[in-house]
Amino acid sequence: MKLRSVRGTHDIYGEEINKFNRISNIVSKNASLKNFKEIQTPIFEFTDLFAKPLGEQSDVVLKEMYSFQDRNNEFLTLRPEYTTPMIRAAITNNLLNDLPLKIFGIGPMFRRERPQKGRFRQFNQINFEILGTKDFVADVELILLSNNILNELLPKANIRLHINSLGDKKTLIDFKKNLSKYFNSHKNKLSEESIKKIDTNPLRILDSKNHEDIEISKSSPKIYEYLSNEAKKHYEDLKISLNILEINFEENANLVRGLDYYCNTVFEYKSDNLGSQDTLLGGGRYDGLIKVLGGPDIPGMGWAAGIERIALLMESEKKISSAIHIAVTNEKFINYFLHLQKYLSENSISYYWNYKYNLKKSFTKANTSSASHIIIIGENEFNGNFFTIKNLMTGEQTELNLNQIFNHLNDKSR
Ligand code: HAM
């Protein structure tokens, strides 16, 4: 058997794990600044949690869920997204007593999509939700938060915020009816994939990437004409606030999102540097979802971003390793070296040794790892009861007693 990882999965290490850790730190910092509490849910749930809320005709439910029957014949699914599990957790743990509830989570999701650049079958998401308020200010706060996080992580990336409003359930039903009618009258020019969606999920034709579909969608009915006065006001208030905050946005009437639970505000951040999987972050309002899941009839709103896609746009950090390398020239000095190890550990000084009693190999390793210093333990050091410490940036070499090392490292701009 050839050893390989499953298609669409990937191991995260080296530069990428550094980026993942940076993303996670910045997300946690911003979450705590805005008082979002972290929540972790299991990676699998009952299949029913996803099928209806995400949309029985959505691609995720029709083609992409990893579902299986366990030994009790229960139908389980690896979570394809985080919003429904988070709401499930809020309901089952009685977290909805004190509203609004502001929660966030980071972790892996699973979708059986065709793998390509920025698209995996196991990928990681950052996810923020506010449950229990209809106020457009919550929409503003969530967009501001996403903007802060992306600006901090990707200061130089060219990303664009797209927004749209989908109105309420009635708006969507009327709009879908008229959209189906329109697409039916242009059926002969649509792609095969879109023809299948005319009656079941016409919204998805609007964000098709096929050229002919895009041309036909340009003259399709626009949702704004179907919005109620209340939905229009919500949308207008949001736009005024974004302008006040100087957050640039584009209105995109064809932005409909891939999951069925959305209403009113929807938004996405896109980048031209991601290839065809150009959406970095997406979200919106889902005012009927919590009730559908068996909770109270309260509104909600949130967003999720793909960590792999953010990492693709992040620049690598050139790190000078702060580790001190050790060179031990002979096995007979090992006990002397143990005293040094004890001292370094007690003083929280990070160090590295390659288990090779060879000065040259230790120097090569220190140089290729961009170590700042190397401490040499050889015949002279052992006999004289001192340590030689070399600053690899300046070349300066100093002889020190054990208890002088900490001060020396701190004095000499480590
Ligand atoms: P989504 O648009 O399906 O929304 O996914 C959000 C983000 O996850 C995408 O913009 C993308 O960056 C990343 N993503 C999705 N699929 C993949 C994949 N196969 N490989 C790599 N990255 C991927 C949701 O999941 C909603 N639950 C967001 C939300 C939260 N809405 C309200 N609250």
Side-chain angles (χ1 to χ4, degrees):
M1 193 186 89
K2 198 170 153 232
L3 202 59
R4 60 188 173 90
S5 58
V6 175
R7 187 165 140 80
T9 66
H10 64 135
D11 303 309
I12 304 160
Y13 60 95
E15 195 49 53
E16 196 180 18
I17 199 95
N18 291 341
K19 289 180 180 175
F20 268 51
N21 290 335
R22 241 162 82 207
I23 294 171
S24 163
N25 289 339
I26 286 175
V27 166
S28 301
K29 182 192 80 181
N30 278 278
S32 108
L33 283 174
K34 295 262 192 299
N35 266 291
F36 283 78
K37 302 283 180 259
E38 185 163 6
I39 188 161
Q40 276 183 24
T41 70
I43 60 165
F44 58 97
E45 301 270 357
F46 291 115
T47 302
D48 283 349
L49 179 70
F50 303 112
K52 193 165 166 229
L54 304 195
E56 267 143 350
Q57 295 302 328
S58 66
D59 284 349
V60 172
V61 172
L62 280 180
K63 303 186 269 194
E64 297 168 4
M65 291 205 311
Y66 281 97
S67 298
F68 57 97
Q69 233 172 321
D70 82 350
R71 285 161 192 253
N72 299 340
N73 293 327
E74 285 174 323
F75 289 94
L76 305 175
T77 293
L78 297 185
R79 61 183 185 199
E81 62 109 46
Y82 221 165
T83 309
T84 35
M86 278 199 167
I87 296 173
R88 198 271 309 135
I91 298 170
T92 47
N93 295 294
N94 290 322
L95 305 180
L96 295 174
N97 298 329
D98 186 18
L99 296 176
L101 178 69
K102 296 166 85 174
I103 45 180
F104 82 103
I106 304 177
M109 309 295 144
F110 305 83
R111 296 184 193 174
R112 201 179 185 288
E113 297 188 80
R114 196 168 49 77
Q116 61 183 101
K117 182 182 169 194
R119 187 159 75 186
F120 300 93
R121 291 181 171 176
Q122 176 174 338
F123 59 98
N124 291 277
Q125 271 190 353
I126 306 158
N127 200 94
F128 282 87
E129 312 290 348
I130 300 182
L131 309 183
T133 176
K134 242 183 145 83
D135 200 322
F136 79 94
V137 182
D139 307 22
V140 178
E141 190 182 358
L142 280 162
I143 293 179
L144 176 64
L145 176 69
S146 62
N147 203 61
N148 290 344
I149 292 175
L150 291 181
N151 280 343
E152 196 165 345
L153 288 167
L154 305 169
K156 294 192 196 137
N158 182 14
I159 33 184
R160 291 164 282 110
L161 168 62
H162 288 206
I163 63 167
N164 192 21
S165 172
L166 300 181
D168 55 24
K169 281 278 167 258
K170 183 176 173 321
T171 303
L172 269 178
I173 292 168
D174 291 348
F175 179 58
K176 277 188 196 166
K177 237 188 247 159
N178 283 290
L179 213 51
S180 297
K181 219 190 269 168
Y182 172 83
F183 285 129
N184 258 316
S185 64
H186 294 80
K187 205 172 183 168
N188 52 345
K189 293 187 208 131
L190 286 175
S191 68
E192 243 172 75
E193 210 29 50
S194 289
I195 290 174
K196 285 187 216 147
K197 293 177 178 160
I198 293 181
D199 295 315
T200 52
N201 201 359
L203 284 183
R204 297 303 299 172
I205 304 177
L206 294 178
D207 64 2
S208 158
K209 297 218 157 76
N210 175 288
H211 281 302
E212 269 96 49
D213 293 350
I214 292 174
E215 274 312 303
I216 291 170
S217 290
K218 279 185 184 158
S219 320
S220 66
K222 297 291 173 256
I223 193 150
Y224 194 77
E225 291 147 27
Y226 295 77
L227 296 184
S228 66
N229 287 341
E230 197 189 343
K232 269 188 189 150
K233 179 158 178 5
H234 190 100
Y235 189 45
E236 295 305 319
D237 284 343
L238 169 72
K239 287 189 282 180
I240 292 170
S241 301
L242 293 179
N243 281 325
I244 292 173
L245 291 169
E246 296 179 7
I247 295 177
N248 294 328
F249 62 88
E250 292 167 34
E251 287 185 71
N252 178 350
N254 289 343
L255 177 66
V256 289
R257 308 277 303 127
L259 306 165
D260 259 15
Y261 49 61
Y262 292 107
C263 61
N264 287 310
T265 310
V266 285
F267 69 104
E268 284 183 352
Y269 284 85
K270 292 177 182 288
S271 160
D272 291 334
N273 301 326
L274 281 173
S276 67
Q277 297 310 307
D278 61 351
T279 308
L280 201 57
L281 181 153
R285 208 159 245 296
Y286 44 81
D287 291 347
L289 178 61
I290 300 167
K291 186 163 175 237
V292 167
L293 292 175
D297 189 6
I298 53 166
M301 157 107 187
W303 58 259
I307 296 187
E308 282 79 0
R309 292 192 192 170
I310 295 178
L312 271 175
L313 295 180
M314 274 167 82
E315 293 188 357
S316 306
E317 267 192 339
K318 284 227 163 41
K319 269 198 190 159
I320 297 279
S321 158
S322 60
I324 313 297
H325 279 229
I326 315 287
V328 186
T329 61
N330 192 299
E331 273 175 57
K332 60 187 184 194
F333 308 133
I334 202 68
N335 289 347
Y336 189 58
F337 174 36
L338 287 179
H339 289 292
L340 175 66
Q341 289 200 35
K342 186 165 180 278
Y343 174 85
L344 295 176
S345 305
E346 282 170 0
N347 286 282
S348 305
I349 298 170
S350 147
Y351 66 91
Y352 174 86
W353 180 49
N354 59 358
Y355 306 100
K356 294 193 173 79
Y357 301 92
N358 182 311
L359 190 65
K360 200 167 160 221
K361 283 188 178 157
S362 296
F363 261 90
T364 308
K365 180 73 185 166
N367 284 322
T368 52
S369 315
S370 311
S372 60
H373 295 76
I374 189 161
I375 299 179
I376 302 157
I377 302 173
E379 200 77 46
N380 289 343
E381 285 78 10
F382 177 72
N383 290 334
N385 197 23
F386 65 88
F387 295 90
T388 301
I389 180 159
K390 181 168 184 179
N391 182 325
L392 292 169
M393 309 293 136
T394 63
E396 185 196 9
Q397 202 159 299
T398 321
E399 292 173 1
L400 296 172
N401 294 329
L402 190 60
N403 57 15
Q404 294 174 311
I405 292 177
F406 180 84
N407 285 342
H408 176 82
L409 290 172
N410 280 300
D411 286 351
K412 302 277 173 181
S413 62
R414 282 177 55 200

